[in-house]
Amino acid sequence: MPENGNVFSSLRLWWRGVLSRAVHRGWDWVRDVGAVTARHPGKLRFRRIGEGTRLAFPQGTVFGERWIELGDCCVIAEQVTLTAGMMPGLDLGPDPIVTLGDGVVLGRGSHVVADARVTIGANTYCGPYVYITSTNHSYDDPDQPIGRQWPRVAPVEIGPGSWLAAGAVVLPGARIGRNVVVAAGAIVRGEVPDHCVVAGAPARVVRSWDPEHGWRPPLRTPAPVPIPDGATPEQLLALLELERSGPVPGPVPGPGAAEVEGAPTGG
């Protein structure tokens, strides 16, 4: 009996391995087929979806696509919500409500919820679970449930080249400048100037760029070494292997995490 038990146990493990590989391969196939692109939009009919843009499967809540424009080469991760209007089926007029520039990245579980116009500039990167909205609850009447009171709306604009780290929240009326870092968990409202780092709730400027003196306060890490023009993938892999085998002269690029004094970042 012990020998038979060992045989059955081995068979169960073998079948489990077979089934596990089949499930993973099947899920990879479903994710590939379920992704939304310009050539394969599925049931979604965006106002525009650019070439090279991909919405990963499974998508989050998406409605009001007629008023949503997605630029070229955008990356929309799994479970991202994109909505225009308070509910499906509304006529929002002739102009777009949500506009993503070329190369925008929205991390897993992020939300863009827009009743007024939301514009995200080209090459803006959002980490996971970023929340961007042009709508907020009002609570003027103390006798009415807050969820039943008419919300307030105000346009949102995020400049190109910015980075919104994990869990950042952008509130109605916010205007974020160009190449801005928003720290993880920051809550942004109002105006944010170009070339700065903001952190906190509400977010405040903790570092900014001065054309004459550079970053103030100064960065605590060395600047990453730029990739030489014309470098081939093979050469970059060789440099990576060299770095792993021993110290490399000069500064080595970090993992891409921005330093914010007194605040975490993520992306």
Side-chain angles (χ1 to χ4, degrees):
M1 284 300 296
E3 292 182 0
N4 290 336
N6 290 336
V7 170
F8 289 136
S9 177
S10 298
L11 284 173
R12 281 196 297 268
L13 290 174
W14 181 80
W15 272 112
R16 182 178 178 85
V18 170
L19 292 173
S20 177
R21 288 190 293 272
V23 167
H24 283 283
R25 288 172 182 168
W27 180 241
D28 288 343
W29 179 84
V30 169
R31 292 177 62 190
D32 184 57
V33 173
V36 170
T37 65
R39 296 185 182 182
H40 303 285
K43 67 176 184 178
L44 302 178
R45 295 294 181 266
F46 290 100
R47 183 185 185 98
R48 177 178 183 268
I49 179 168
E51 286 296 323
T53 289
R54 183 181 178 92
L55 285 76
F57 180 86
Q59 291 89 37
T61 301
V62 179
F63 62 77
E65 306 99 283
R66 288 173 53 195
W67 293 274
I68 299 176
E69 293 184 335
L70 308 177
D72 296 340
C73 301
C74 295
V75 177
I76 315 296
E78 296 178 9
Q79 299 292 353
V80 168
T81 292
L82 289 172
T83 65
M86 293 185 183
M87 63 188 71
L90 299 178
D91 186 347
L92 305 178
D95 299 322
I97 300 296
V98 177
T99 301
L100 273 59
D102 296 343
V104 168
V105 174
L106 296 179
R108 178 187 178 92
S110 293
H111 289 63
V112 179
V113 179
D115 296 320
R117 186 167 174 80
V118 171
T119 304
I120 303 178
N123 299 310
T124 289
Y125 283 55
C126 298
Y129 307 107
V130 169
Y131 193 93
I132 301 167
T133 184
S134 59
T135 305
N136 208 351
H137 291 288
S138 61
Y139 47 90
D140 303 62
D141 188 343
D143 298 322
Q144 286 290 330
I146 291 172
R148 293 185 179 180
Q149 299 188 44
W150 196 255
R152 287 190 171 88
V153 299
V156 169
E157 183 177 348
I158 300 173
S162 294
W163 170 30
L164 282 64
V169 176
V170 180
L171 295 175
R175 295 189 63 196
I176 298 175
R178 181 187 190 93
N179 280 45
V180 170
V181 174
V182 178
I187 300 178
V188 182
R189 64 184 183 185
E191 300 270 344
V192 177
D194 295 345
H195 305 293
C196 70
V197 180
V198 296
R204 62 181 181 84
V205 175
V206 297
R207 178 170 280 126
S208 57
W209 172 261
D210 182 279
E212 183 176 352
H213 300 102
W215 287 104
R216 288 291 180 266
L219 298 175
R220 294 181 294 183
T221 55
V225 178
I227 297 176
D229 292 337
T232 65
E234 291 77 13
Q235 291 171 328
L236 295 177
L237 287 173
L239 285 174
L240 180 62
E241 290 300 323
L242 183 62
E243 177 187 340
R244 288 173 176 172
S245 62
V248 179
V252 177
E259 274 195 357
V260 180
E261 293 182 350
T265 60

